[in-house]
Amino acid sequence: MRLGNGTYKYRKGDVYKGHWRVDNKHGEGVMTFANQELYDGQWKNSNKDGQGEMTFQNNGDVYEGEFRNDKMHGKGTYTQGDRFKSIGEWKEGKKCGLFENIVRVRYDNDELEVVSNSNVKREASF
């Protein structure tokens, strides 16, 4: 039985380093997935739950904010590269409600941030 702090390497290549409670990831921990995605944050009963940061392998995007039951849920910021950032509320992994979108534009060695607001009236996948 896994209990307390420790590191566990899964057969498929994932590695978890953090706190365990009765064989469940629980509390603070870092999971490096076999596909090179990374989650650093809070866990509850082996699900991402609470504050955390997820870095996605396929594009390097980063979500930093609240999670519940393994999904983005609550306040958070989704960043795509160094040019786009979306700040707002998430519900079960989807954008929900008012968002502030920030786009960085470079022109003739100058950098400009364009800020816009959007209201997602129905849940939308990001």
Side-chain angles (χ1 to χ4, degrees), residues 91-126:
K91 185 175 181 183
E92 296 182 0
K94 299 178 181 180
K95 289 174 110 175
C96 182
L98 187 62
F99 271 78
E100 179 179 76
N101 300 299
I102 302 168
V103 179
R104 287 190 182 149
V105 180
R106 290 189 181 100
Y107 181 75
D108 286 340
N109 295 326
D110 287 331
E111 188 172 295
L112 172 69
E113 282 192 357
V114 178
V115 179
S116 67
N117 292 310
S118 62
N119 191 3
V120 180
K121 298 198 186 285
R122 60 178 171 66
E123 296 171 19
S125 296
F126 192 75

PDB file of all heavy atoms in Angstrom, residues 91-126:
ATOM      1  N   LYS A  91     -15.668  25.056 -16.752  1.00  0.00           N
ATOM      2  CA  LYS A  91     -16.612  24.117 -16.162  1.00  0.00           C
ATOM      3  C   LYS A  91     -16.435  22.766 -16.838  1.00  0.00           C
ATOM      4  O   LYS A  91     -16.634  22.648 -18.044  1.00  0.00           O
ATOM      5  CB  LYS A  91     -18.049  24.610 -16.333  1.00  0.00           C
ATOM      6  CG  LYS A  91     -19.067  23.740 -15.633  1.00  0.00           C
ATOM      7  CD  LYS A  91     -20.454  24.342 -15.744  1.00  0.00           C
ATOM      8  CE  LYS A  91     -21.444  23.449 -15.014  1.00  0.00           C
ATOM      9  NZ  LYS A  91     -22.806  23.960 -15.166  1.00  0.00           N
ATOM     10  N   GLU A  92     -16.000  21.782 -16.076  1.00  0.00           N
ATOM     11  CA  GLU A  92     -15.785  20.419 -16.567  1.00  0.00           C
ATOM     12  C   GLU A  92     -14.969  20.378 -17.855  1.00  0.00           C
ATOM     13  O   GLU A  92     -15.310  19.691 -18.815  1.00  0.00           O
ATOM     14  CB  GLU A  92     -17.115  19.696 -16.716  1.00  0.00           C
ATOM     15  CG  GLU A  92     -17.818  19.515 -15.392  1.00  0.00           C
ATOM     16  CD  GLU A  92     -19.116  18.755 -15.484  1.00  0.00           C
ATOM     17  OE1 GLU A  92     -19.503  18.336 -16.597  1.00  0.00           O
ATOM     18  OE2 GLU A  92     -19.749  18.579 -14.437  1.00  0.00           O
ATOM     19  N   GLY A  93     -13.896  21.166 -17.895  1.00  0.00           N
ATOM     20  CA  GLY A  93     -12.972  21.148 -19.023  1.00  0.00           C
ATOM     21  C   GLY A  93     -13.307  22.083 -20.161  1.00  0.00           C
ATOM     22  O   GLY A  93     -12.607  22.109 -21.167  1.00  0.00           O
ATOM     23  N   LYS A  94     -14.386  22.872 -20.031  1.00  0.00           N
ATOM     24  CA  LYS A  94     -14.812  23.763 -21.115  1.00  0.00           C
ATOM     25  C   LYS A  94     -14.914  25.204 -20.617  1.00  0.00           C
ATOM     26  O   LYS A  94     -15.216  25.439 -19.443  1.00  0.00           O
ATOM     27  CB  LYS A  94     -16.161  23.309 -21.661  1.00  0.00           C
ATOM     28  CG  LYS A  94     -16.104  21.908 -22.244  1.00  0.00           C
ATOM     29  CD  LYS A  94     -17.453  21.461 -22.721  1.00  0.00           C
ATOM     30  CE  LYS A  94     -17.356  20.037 -23.274  1.00  0.00           C
ATOM     31  NZ  LYS A  94     -18.636  19.567 -23.758  1.00  0.00           N
ATOM     32  N   LYS A  95     -14.680  26.158 -21.537  1.00  0.00           N
ATOM     33  CA  LYS A  95     -14.835  27.574 -21.205  1.00  0.00           C
ATOM     34  C   LYS A  95     -16.291  27.846 -20.851  1.00  0.00           C
ATOM     35  O   LYS A  95     -17.190  27.280 -21.466  1.00  0.00           O
ATOM     36  CB  LYS A  95     -14.450  28.454 -22.396  1.00  0.00           C
ATOM     37  CG  LYS A  95     -12.988  28.481 -22.698  1.00  0.00           C
ATOM     38  CD  LYS A  95     -12.744  29.249 -23.978  1.00  0.00           C
ATOM     39  CE  LYS A  95     -12.055  30.552 -23.678  1.00  0.00           C
ATOM     40  NZ  LYS A  95     -11.696  31.292 -24.893  1.00  0.00           N
ATOM     41  N   CYS A  96     -16.493  28.742 -19.886  1.00  0.00           N
ATOM     42  CA  CYS A  96     -17.849  29.042 -19.456  1.00  0.00           C
ATOM     43  C   CYS A  96     -17.892  30.457 -18.891  1.00  0.00           C
ATOM     44  O   CYS A  96     -17.159  30.783 -17.969  1.00  0.00           O
ATOM     45  CB  CYS A  96     -18.267  28.030 -18.392  1.00  0.00           C
ATOM     46  SG  CYS A  96     -19.939  28.237 -17.800  1.00  0.00           S
ATOM     47  N   GLY A  97     -18.717  31.335 -19.460  1.00  0.00           N
ATOM     48  CA  GLY A  97     -18.880  32.688 -18.927  1.00  0.00           C
ATOM     49  C   GLY A  97     -17.939  33.693 -19.547  1.00  0.00           C
ATOM     50  O   GLY A  97     -17.479  33.547 -20.676  1.00  0.00           O
ATOM     51  N   LEU A  98     -17.633  34.738 -18.805  1.00  0.00           N
ATOM     52  CA  LEU A  98     -16.838  35.861 -19.289  1.00  0.00           C
ATOM     53  C   LEU A  98     -15.344  35.529 -19.287  1.00  0.00           C
ATOM     54  O   LEU A  98     -14.819  35.047 -18.297  1.00  0.00           O
ATOM     55  CB  LEU A  98     -17.092  37.095 -18.424  1.00  0.00           C
ATOM     56  CG  LEU A  98     -16.471  38.399 -18.888  1.00  0.00           C
ATOM     57  CD1 LEU A  98     -17.031  38.806 -20.249  1.00  0.00           C
ATOM     58  CD2 LEU A  98     -16.738  39.496 -17.871  1.00  0.00           C
ATOM     59  N   PHE A  99     -14.673  35.816 -20.407  1.00  0.00           N
ATOM     60  CA  PHE A  99     -13.243  35.583 -20.546  1.00  0.00           C
ATOM     61  C   PHE A  99     -12.544  36.854 -20.996  1.00  0.00           C
ATOM     62  O   PHE A  99     -13.097  37.640 -21.768  1.00  0.00           O
ATOM     63  CB  PHE A  99     -12.958  34.484 -21.583  1.00  0.00           C
ATOM     64  CG  PHE A  99     -12.942  33.114 -20.997  1.00  0.00           C
ATOM     65  CD1 PHE A  99     -14.117  32.462 -20.696  1.00  0.00           C
ATOM     66  CD2 PHE A  99     -11.748  32.494 -20.709  1.00  0.00           C
ATOM     67  CE1 PHE A  99     -14.105  31.219 -20.135  1.00  0.00           C
ATOM     68  CE2 PHE A  99     -11.717  31.238 -20.146  1.00  0.00           C
ATOM     69  CZ  PHE A  99     -12.901  30.593 -19.855  1.00  0.00           C
ATOM     70  N   GLU A 100     -11.343  37.027 -20.515  1.00  0.00           N
ATOM     71  CA  GLU A 100     -10.473  38.090 -21.014  1.00  0.00           C
ATOM     72  C   GLU A 100      -9.432  37.413 -21.898  1.00  0.00           C
ATOM     73  O   GLU A 100      -8.767  36.478 -21.469  1.00  0.00           O
ATOM     74  CB  GLU A 100      -9.787  38.821 -19.863  1.00  0.00           C
ATOM     75  CG  GLU A 100      -8.852  39.909 -20.333  1.00  0.00           C
ATOM     76  CD  GLU A 100      -8.209  40.643 -19.176  1.00  0.00           C
ATOM     77  OE1 GLU A 100      -7.281  40.071 -18.576  1.00  0.00           O
ATOM     78  OE2 GLU A 100      -8.641  41.760 -18.890  1.00  0.00           O
ATOM     79  N   ASN A 101      -9.331  37.865 -23.129  1.00  0.00           N
ATOM     80  CA  ASN A 101      -8.387  37.296 -24.084  1.00  0.00           C
ATOM     81  C   ASN A 101      -7.297  38.318 -24.368  1.00  0.00           C
ATOM     82  O   ASN A 101      -7.590  39.477 -24.655  1.00  0.00           O
ATOM     83  CB  ASN A 101      -9.106  36.920 -25.375  1.00  0.00           C
ATOM     84  CG  ASN A 101     -10.199  35.909 -25.118  1.00  0.00           C
ATOM     85  OD1 ASN A 101      -9.935  34.819 -24.651  1.00  0.00           O
ATOM     86  ND2 ASN A 101     -11.438  36.276 -25.382  1.00  0.00           N
ATOM     87  N   ILE A 102      -6.062  37.880 -24.275  1.00  0.00           N
ATOM     88  CA  ILE A 102      -4.925  38.767 -24.497  1.00  0.00           C
ATOM     89  C   ILE A 102      -4.099  38.207 -25.645  1.00  0.00           C
ATOM     90  O   ILE A 102      -3.673  37.053 -25.609  1.00  0.00           O
ATOM     91  CB  ILE A 102      -4.054  38.884 -23.234  1.00  0.00           C
ATOM     92  CG1 ILE A 102      -4.901  39.405 -22.065  1.00  0.00           C
ATOM     93  CG2 ILE A 102      -2.849  39.782 -23.483  1.00  0.00           C
ATOM     94  CD1 ILE A 102      -4.243  39.296 -20.716  1.00  0.00           C
ATOM     95  N   VAL A 103      -3.897  39.030 -26.657  1.00  0.00           N
ATOM     96  CA  VAL A 103      -3.098  38.633 -27.817  1.00  0.00           C
ATOM     97  C   VAL A 103      -1.895  39.557 -27.890  1.00  0.00           C
ATOM     98  O   VAL A 103      -2.040  40.780 -27.856  1.00  0.00           O
ATOM     99  CB  VAL A 103      -3.913  38.730 -29.132  1.00  0.00           C
ATOM    100  CG1 VAL A 103      -3.054  38.332 -30.317  1.00  0.00           C
ATOM    101  CG2 VAL A 103      -5.153  37.868 -29.049  1.00  0.00           C
ATOM    102  N   ARG A 104      -0.703  38.999 -27.985  1.00  0.00           N
ATOM    103  CA  ARG A 104       0.517  39.791 -28.159  1.00  0.00           C
ATOM    104  C   ARG A 104       0.855  39.882 -29.627  1.00  0.00           C
ATOM    105  O   ARG A 104       0.903  38.883 -30.331  1.00  0.00           O
ATOM    106  CB  ARG A 104       1.684  39.163 -27.409  1.00  0.00           C
ATOM    107  CG  ARG A 104       1.590  39.335 -25.938  1.00  0.00           C
ATOM    108  CD  ARG A 104       2.882  38.915 -25.288  1.00  0.00           C
ATOM    109  NE  ARG A 104       2.723  39.059 -23.853  1.00  0.00           N
ATOM    110  CZ  ARG A 104       3.332  38.313 -22.977  1.00  0.00           C
ATOM    111  NH1 ARG A 104       4.146  37.366 -23.376  1.00  0.00           N
ATOM    112  NH2 ARG A 104       3.145  38.505 -21.700  1.00  0.00           N
ATOM    113  N   VAL A 105       1.073  41.098 -30.080  1.00  0.00           N
ATOM    114  CA  VAL A 105       1.392  41.348 -31.479  1.00  0.00           C
ATOM    115  C   VAL A 105       2.747  42.038 -31.542  1.00  0.00           C
ATOM    116  O   VAL A 105       3.004  42.992 -30.800  1.00  0.00           O
ATOM    117  CB  VAL A 105       0.311  42.247 -32.134  1.00  0.00           C
ATOM    118  CG1 VAL A 105       0.647  42.508 -33.586  1.00  0.00           C
ATOM    119  CG2 VAL A 105      -1.065  41.617 -31.998  1.00  0.00           C
ATOM    120  N   ARG A 106       3.604  41.564 -32.421  1.00  0.00           N
ATOM    121  CA  ARG A 106       4.904  42.206 -32.625  1.00  0.00           C
ATOM    122  C   ARG A 106       4.905  42.891 -33.983  1.00  0.00           C
ATOM    123  O   ARG A 106       4.496  42.314 -34.976  1.00  0.00           O
ATOM    124  CB  ARG A 106       6.019  41.175 -32.569  1.00  0.00           C
ATOM    125  CG  ARG A 106       6.215  40.639 -31.184  1.00  0.00           C
ATOM    126  CD  ARG A 106       7.481  39.773 -31.113  1.00  0.00           C
ATOM    127  NE  ARG A 106       7.634  39.254 -29.781  1.00  0.00           N
ATOM    128  CZ  ARG A 106       7.291  38.028 -29.398  1.00  0.00           C
ATOM    129  NH1 ARG A 106       6.788  37.197 -30.281  1.00  0.00           N
ATOM    130  NH2 ARG A 106       7.457  37.633 -28.165  1.00  0.00           N
ATOM    131  N   TYR A 107       5.376  44.160 -33.990  1.00  0.00           N
ATOM    132  CA  TYR A 107       5.422  44.916 -35.230  1.00  0.00           C
ATOM    133  C   TYR A 107       6.607  45.863 -35.162  1.00  0.00           C
ATOM    134  O   TYR A 107       6.705  46.683 -34.246  1.00  0.00           O
ATOM    135  CB  TYR A 107       4.118  45.702 -35.430  1.00  0.00           C
ATOM    136  CG  TYR A 107       4.084  46.487 -36.709  1.00  0.00           C
ATOM    137  CD1 TYR A 107       3.894  45.849 -37.927  1.00  0.00           C
ATOM    138  CD2 TYR A 107       4.265  47.854 -36.691  1.00  0.00           C
ATOM    139  CE1 TYR A 107       3.874  46.561 -39.105  1.00  0.00           C
ATOM    140  CE2 TYR A 107       4.237  48.586 -37.871  1.00  0.00           C
ATOM    141  CZ  TYR A 107       4.041  47.928 -39.080  1.00  0.00           C
ATOM    142  OH  TYR A 107       4.021  48.637 -40.243  1.00  0.00           O
ATOM    143  N   ASP A 108       7.526  45.750 -36.105  1.00  0.00           N
ATOM    144  CA  ASP A 108       8.724  46.605 -36.146  1.00  0.00           C
ATOM    145  C   ASP A 108       9.432  46.674 -34.799  1.00  0.00           C
ATOM    146  O   ASP A 108       9.681  47.750 -34.251  1.00  0.00           O
ATOM    147  CB  ASP A 108       8.363  48.024 -36.606  1.00  0.00           C
ATOM    148  CG  ASP A 108       8.075  48.086 -38.089  1.00  0.00           C
ATOM    149  OD1 ASP A 108       8.503  47.162 -38.819  1.00  0.00           O
ATOM    150  OD2 ASP A 108       7.431  49.056 -38.504  1.00  0.00           O
ATOM    151  N   ASN A 109       9.729  45.520 -34.223  1.00  0.00           N
ATOM    152  CA  ASN A 109      10.442  45.402 -32.952  1.00  0.00           C
ATOM    153  C   ASN A 109       9.683  45.951 -31.752  1.00  0.00           C
ATOM    154  O   ASN A 109      10.246  46.102 -30.678  1.00  0.00           O
ATOM    155  CB  ASN A 109      11.828  46.045 -33.032  1.00  0.00           C
ATOM    156  CG  ASN A 109      12.717  45.310 -34.006  1.00  0.00           C
ATOM    157  OD1 ASN A 109      12.619  44.084 -34.144  1.00  0.00           O
ATOM    158  ND2 ASN A 109      13.563  46.034 -34.700  1.00  0.00           N
ATOM    159  N   ASP A 110       8.426  46.297 -31.918  1.00  0.00           N
ATOM    160  CA  ASP A 110       7.585  46.718 -30.803  1.00  0.00           C
ATOM    161  C   ASP A 110       6.616  45.585 -30.481  1.00  0.00           C
ATOM    162  O   ASP A 110       6.260  44.785 -31.339  1.00  0.00           O
ATOM    163  CB  ASP A 110       6.774  47.972 -31.152  1.00  0.00           C
ATOM    164  CG  ASP A 110       7.633  49.225 -31.203  1.00  0.00           C
ATOM    165  OD1 ASP A 110       8.650  49.273 -30.476  1.00  0.00           O
ATOM    166  OD2 ASP A 110       7.287  50.135 -31.966  1.00  0.00           O
ATOM    167  N   GLU A 111       6.209  45.532 -29.221  1.00  0.00           N
ATOM    168  CA  GLU A 111       5.246  44.515 -28.815  1.00  0.00           C
ATOM    169  C   GLU A 111       4.016  45.212 -28.242  1.00  0.00           C
ATOM    170  O   GLU A 111       4.121  46.141 -27.452  1.00  0.00           O
ATOM    171  CB  GLU A 111       5.859  43.601 -27.753  1.00  0.00           C
ATOM    172  CG  GLU A 111       4.986  42.419 -27.438  1.00  0.00           C
ATOM    173  CD  GLU A 111       5.683  41.423 -26.539  1.00  0.00           C
ATOM    174  OE1 GLU A 111       6.677  40.823 -26.968  1.00  0.00           O
ATOM    175  OE2 GLU A 111       5.214  41.260 -25.407  1.00  0.00           O
ATOM    176  N   LEU A 112       2.859  44.761 -28.659  1.00  0.00           N
ATOM    177  CA  LEU A 112       1.596  45.346 -28.246  1.00  0.00           C
ATOM    178  C   LEU A 112       0.700  44.231 -27.737  1.00  0.00           C
ATOM    179  O   LEU A 112       0.646  43.153 -28.323  1.00  0.00           O
ATOM    180  CB  LEU A 112       0.944  46.034 -29.449  1.00  0.00           C
ATOM    181  CG  LEU A 112      -0.463  46.562 -29.293  1.00  0.00           C
ATOM    182  CD1 LEU A 112      -0.471  47.758 -28.341  1.00  0.00           C
ATOM    183  CD2 LEU A 112      -1.014  46.972 -30.653  1.00  0.00           C
ATOM    184  N   GLU A 113      -0.013  44.496 -26.642  1.00  0.00           N
ATOM    185  CA  GLU A 113      -0.993  43.533 -26.145  1.00  0.00           C
ATOM    186  C   GLU A 113      -2.381  44.053 -26.467  1.00  0.00           C
ATOM    187  O   GLU A 113      -2.723  45.183 -26.134  1.00  0.00           O
ATOM    188  CB  GLU A 113      -0.859  43.338 -24.634  1.00  0.00           C
ATOM    189  CG  GLU A 113       0.280  42.440 -24.251  1.00  0.00           C
ATOM    190  CD  GLU A 113       0.250  42.021 -22.786  1.00  0.00           C
ATOM    191  OE1 GLU A 113      -0.633  42.475 -22.029  1.00  0.00           O
ATOM    192  OE2 GLU A 113       1.116  41.242 -22.406  1.00  0.00           O
ATOM    193  N   VAL A 114      -3.165  43.230 -27.127  1.00  0.00           N
ATOM    194  CA  VAL A 114      -4.545  43.560 -27.451  1.00  0.00           C
ATOM    195  C   VAL A 114      -5.433  42.747 -26.510  1.00  0.00           C
ATOM    196  O   VAL A 114      -5.338  41.526 -26.455  1.00  0.00           O
ATOM    197  CB  VAL A 114      -4.868  43.211 -28.918  1.00  0.00           C
ATOM    198  CG1 VAL A 114      -6.319  43.521 -29.230  1.00  0.00           C
ATOM    199  CG2 VAL A 114      -3.921  43.932 -29.864  1.00  0.00           C
ATOM    200  N   VAL A 115      -6.276  43.441 -25.757  1.00  0.00           N
ATOM    201  CA  VAL A 115      -7.134  42.780 -24.781  1.00  0.00           C
ATOM    202  C   VAL A 115      -8.581  42.877 -25.243  1.00  0.00           C
ATOM    203  O   VAL A 115      -9.049  43.947 -25.621  1.00  0.00           O
ATOM    204  CB  VAL A 115      -6.983  43.433 -23.389  1.00  0.00           C
ATOM    205  CG1 VAL A 115      -7.904  42.763 -22.377  1.00  0.00           C
ATOM    206  CG2 VAL A 115      -5.539  43.377 -22.921  1.00  0.00           C
ATOM    207  N   SER A 116      -9.275  41.758 -25.234  1.00  0.00           N
ATOM    208  CA  SER A 116     -10.697  41.754 -25.580  1.00  0.00           C
ATOM    209  C   SER A 116     -11.436  40.875 -24.576  1.00  0.00           C
ATOM    210  O   SER A 116     -10.832  40.021 -23.926  1.00  0.00           O
ATOM    211  CB  SER A 116     -10.907  41.235 -27.003  1.00  0.00           C
ATOM    212  OG  SER A 116     -10.566  39.867 -27.073  1.00  0.00           O
ATOM    213  N   ASN A 117     -12.710  41.090 -24.456  1.00  0.00           N
ATOM    214  CA  ASN A 117     -13.537  40.281 -23.573  1.00  0.00           C
ATOM    215  C   ASN A 117     -14.523  39.492 -24.420  1.00  0.00           C
ATOM    216  O   ASN A 117     -15.016  39.977 -25.430  1.00  0.00           O
ATOM    217  CB  ASN A 117     -14.303  41.157 -22.578  1.00  0.00           C
ATOM    218  CG  ASN A 117     -13.367  41.809 -21.587  1.00  0.00           C
ATOM    219  OD1 ASN A 117     -12.538  41.137 -20.991  1.00  0.00           O
ATOM    220  ND2 ASN A 117     -13.475  43.105 -21.421  1.00  0.00           N
ATOM    221  N   SER A 118     -14.785  38.276 -23.988  1.00  0.00           N
ATOM    222  CA  SER A 118     -15.783  37.469 -24.667  1.00  0.00           C
ATOM    223  C   SER A 118     -16.647  36.804 -23.615  1.00  0.00           C
ATOM    224  O   SER A 118     -16.211  36.535 -22.504  1.00  0.00           O
ATOM    225  CB  SER A 118     -15.123  36.419 -25.564  1.00  0.00           C
ATOM    226  OG  SER A 118     -14.348  35.527 -24.801  1.00  0.00           O
ATOM    227  N   ASN A 119     -17.878  36.550 -23.972  1.00  0.00           N
ATOM    228  CA  ASN A 119     -18.798  35.890 -23.067  1.00  0.00           C
ATOM    229  C   ASN A 119     -19.252  34.594 -23.717  1.00  0.00           C
ATOM    230  O   ASN A 119     -19.913  34.614 -24.758  1.00  0.00           O
ATOM    231  CB  ASN A 119     -20.010  36.787 -22.764  1.00  0.00           C
ATOM    232  CG  ASN A 119     -20.850  36.231 -21.626  1.00  0.00           C
ATOM    233  OD1 ASN A 119     -20.521  35.222 -21.030  1.00  0.00           O
ATOM    234  ND2 ASN A 119     -21.940  36.904 -21.331  1.00  0.00           N
ATOM    235  N   VAL A 120     -18.841  33.483 -23.136  1.00  0.00           N
ATOM    236  CA  VAL A 120     -19.225  32.171 -23.651  1.00  0.00           C
ATOM    237  C   VAL A 120     -20.566  31.834 -23.029  1.00  0.00           C
ATOM    238  O   VAL A 120     -20.651  31.515 -21.845  1.00  0.00           O
ATOM    239  CB  VAL A 120     -18.152  31.112 -23.317  1.00  0.00           C
ATOM    240  CG1 VAL A 120     -18.556  29.758 -23.855  1.00  0.00           C
ATOM    241  CG2 VAL A 120     -16.798  31.527 -23.860  1.00  0.00           C
ATOM    242  N   LYS A 121     -21.625  31.947 -23.806  1.00  0.00           N
ATOM    243  CA  LYS A 121     -22.975  31.751 -23.280  1.00  0.00           C
ATOM    244  C   LYS A 121     -23.303  30.278 -23.019  1.00  0.00           C
ATOM    245  O   LYS A 121     -24.069  29.947 -22.161  1.00  0.00           O
ATOM    246  CB  LYS A 121     -24.002  32.357 -24.236  1.00  0.00           C
ATOM    247  CG  LYS A 121     -23.806  33.854 -24.370  1.00  0.00           C
ATOM    248  CD  LYS A 121     -25.032  34.510 -24.922  1.00  0.00           C
ATOM    249  CE  LYS A 121     -24.787  35.972 -25.190  1.00  0.00           C
ATOM    250  NZ  LYS A 121     -24.756  36.810 -24.038  1.00  0.00           N
ATOM    251  N   ARG A 122     -22.684  29.411 -23.782  1.00  0.00           N
ATOM    252  CA  ARG A 122     -22.833  27.998 -23.513  1.00  0.00           C
ATOM    253  C   ARG A 122     -21.431  27.427 -23.403  1.00  0.00           C
ATOM    254  O   ARG A 122     -20.478  28.001 -23.899  1.00  0.00           O
ATOM    255  CB  ARG A 122     -23.627  27.288 -24.610  1.00  0.00           C
ATOM    256  CG  ARG A 122     -22.996  27.370 -25.979  1.00  0.00           C
ATOM    257  CD  ARG A 122     -23.838  26.598 -26.990  1.00  0.00           C
ATOM    258  NE  ARG A 122     -23.442  26.788 -28.342  1.00  0.00           N
ATOM    259  CZ  ARG A 122     -22.291  26.390 -28.888  1.00  0.00           C
ATOM    260  NH1 ARG A 122     -21.391  25.796 -28.172  1.00  0.00           N
ATOM    261  NH2 ARG A 122     -22.034  26.608 -30.154  1.00  0.00           N
ATOM    262  N   GLU A 123     -21.339  26.304 -22.743  1.00  0.00           N
ATOM    263  CA  GLU A 123     -20.025  25.700 -22.562  1.00  0.00           C
ATOM    264  C   GLU A 123     -19.415  25.373 -23.919  1.00  0.00           C
ATOM    265  O   GLU A 123     -20.071  24.837 -24.789  1.00  0.00           O
ATOM    266  CB  GLU A 123     -20.159  24.434 -21.720  1.00  0.00           C
ATOM    267  CG  GLU A 123     -20.639  24.726 -20.326  1.00  0.00           C
ATOM    268  CD  GLU A 123     -20.969  23.483 -19.569  1.00  0.00           C
ATOM    269  OE1 GLU A 123     -20.502  22.392 -19.966  1.00  0.00           O
ATOM    270  OE2 GLU A 123     -21.700  23.573 -18.581  1.00  0.00           O
ATOM    271  N   ALA A 124     -18.151  25.742 -24.063  1.00  0.00           N
ATOM    272  CA  ALA A 124     -17.455  25.490 -25.328  1.00  0.00           C
ATOM    273  C   ALA A 124     -16.109  24.864 -25.048  1.00  0.00           C
ATOM    274  O   ALA A 124     -15.412  25.278 -24.152  1.00  0.00           O
ATOM    275  CB  ALA A 124     -17.275  26.804 -26.095  1.00  0.00           C
ATOM    276  N   SER A 125     -15.756  23.878 -25.821  1.00  0.00           N
ATOM    277  CA  SER A 125     -14.433  23.270 -25.683  1.00  0.00           C
ATOM    278  C   SER A 125     -13.389  24.275 -26.136  1.00  0.00           C
ATOM    279  O   SER A 125     -13.613  25.047 -27.050  1.00  0.00           O
ATOM    280  CB  SER A 125     -14.316  22.016 -26.539  1.00  0.00           C
ATOM    281  OG  SER A 125     -15.217  21.052 -26.076  1.00  0.00           O
ATOM    282  N   PHE A 126     -12.246  24.251 -25.501  1.00  0.00           N
ATOM    283  CA  PHE A 126     -11.184  25.180 -25.869  1.00  0.00           C
ATOM    284  C   PHE A 126     -10.427  24.658 -27.050  1.00  0.00           C
ATOM    285  O   PHE A 126     -10.262  23.546 -27.319  1.00  0.00           O
ATOM    286  CB  PHE A 126     -10.233  25.382 -24.694  1.00  0.00           C
ATOM    287  CG  PHE A 126      -9.320  26.532 -24.916  1.00  0.00           C
ATOM    288  CD1 PHE A 126      -9.777  27.822 -24.792  1.00  0.00           C
ATOM    289  CD2 PHE A 126      -8.018  26.319 -25.280  1.00  0.00           C
ATOM    290  CE1 PHE A 126      -8.930  28.877 -24.996  1.00  0.00           C
ATOM    291  CE2 PHE A 126      -7.168  27.377 -25.489  1.00  0.00           C
ATOM    292  CZ  PHE A 126      -7.626  28.671 -25.346  1.00  0.00           C
TER     293      PHE A 126
END
